[in-house]
Amino acid sequence: KGLTKDEEMRDLSFKYLMPKEYIMIRENIRVKRKEREKIVSELKKKLEKALRKDKVDGKVFGRPKHFYSIYRKMINKEKKFEDVHDIIGLRVIVEDSDNCYAVLGIMNNLWETIPERLKDFIVAPKDNLYQSLHTGFLYNNMPVEIQIRTRRMNDIAEEGIAAHWKYKGLRDDKFNKQLNLLFIVNNAAITSNA
C-alpha cells in the first residue's frame, strides 16, 4: 500500500528537521519500508488463511509504522525505541466478541505470542469505552502488534463514542448503558474535583 501523502510528508520533514532522531530510528529498524510492507503482506495472508480454515469471518488490515509516528510515540509516551511494540501492526475486524477470542486463539497457534503483550480491553474497557484485544509477537526480531475488534469497537476506536450512533441510532441498549455509565463516572470526577 505504501505511505499516504501525509505520512510521506511527515517522514520527509522528520528526516530533514530532526536528522539525528531519524537516523536513530532508521538504524534501529534496519529493514527498508518495502521489506516491511512485504512482511505485512505475508503476515496478513497467513492470518487470513488461518481465519478461513477455522471459518472465522474477519477482515485483516496491516501496516508498517512510519518513522515519525514511531518518534512521536516515543516522545508522547516517554518510551525508548525498544519499548515500541508496533513497528508492524495488524488489525482484525470481526462480527462479535466471541470471534475476537477465536482470532486470539488462532494467533496463539500461528505465532509465539508474548504473554506480557496481551491486553484485554474487551473485558475491561478503557474509560473512553475503547475495547479491543491486543497481543504481540516478534517476527524476525521485529515487534508486531495485533489488535482484534468488532466493527462496533473499531468505530468507537477510530471515530469516538458518538460514531456508533451513526450506524445504530439510539436503539442500541448495551451501548447506551455504557455511554450513560461514562457520563456518570465523568460527572463524579468533575464533582470530586470541584
Side-chain angles (χ1 to χ4, degrees), residues 83-99:
D83 297 324
V84 177
H85 299 289
D86 59 345
I87 302 301
I88 290 179
L90 295 177
R91 181 174 298 155
V92 183
I93 309 295
V94 294
E95 286 302 314
D96 56 41
S97 296
D98 289 344
N99 279 320

Side-chain angles (χ1 to χ4, degrees), residues 19-45:
K20 289 179 189 169
E21 293 85 349
Y22 181 90
I23 290 168
M24 180 274 300
I25 290 172
R26 186 185 69 205
E27 288 176 352
N28 274 292
I29 291 181
R30 288 187 225 108
V31 177
K32 297 214 179 282
R33 181 155 191 97
K34 291 282 186 207
E35 182 61 27
R36 288 183 288 136
E37 288 171 353
K38 184 178 172 189
I39 291 168
V40 167
S41 179
E42 290 169 9
L43 295 174
K44 268 184 66 180
K45 285 177 187 171

Side-chain angles (χ1 to χ4, degrees), residues 51 54-59 92-106 120-123 131-133 147-155 164 168 172 174:
L51 292 176
D54 284 14
K55 296 179 176 56
V56 174
D57 185 26
K59 294 209 181 296
V92 183
I93 309 295
V94 294
E95 286 302 314
D96 56 41
S97 296
D98 289 344
N99 279 320
C100 288
Y101 293 101
V103 171
L104 180 61
I106 291 167
D120 188 341
F121 297 114
I122 295 175
V123 168
Q131 290 182 291
S132 184
L133 285 175
Q147 298 173 344
I148 309 163
R149 307 174 178 162
T150 66
R151 287 183 195 174
R152 176 180 167 272
M153 292 172 196
N154 195 60
D155 292 344
H164 188 61
K168 294 284 187 176
D172 186 342
K174 181 179 178 187

Side-chain angles (χ1 to χ4, degrees), residues 69-82:
S69 181
I70 293 168
Y71 175 74
R72 194 175 65 224
K73 186 172 197 171
M74 290 169 60
I75 296 303
N76 291 344
K77 298 198 176 190
E78 299 178 359
K79 292 183 174 226
K80 295 178 181 174
F81 178 84
E82 45 280 349

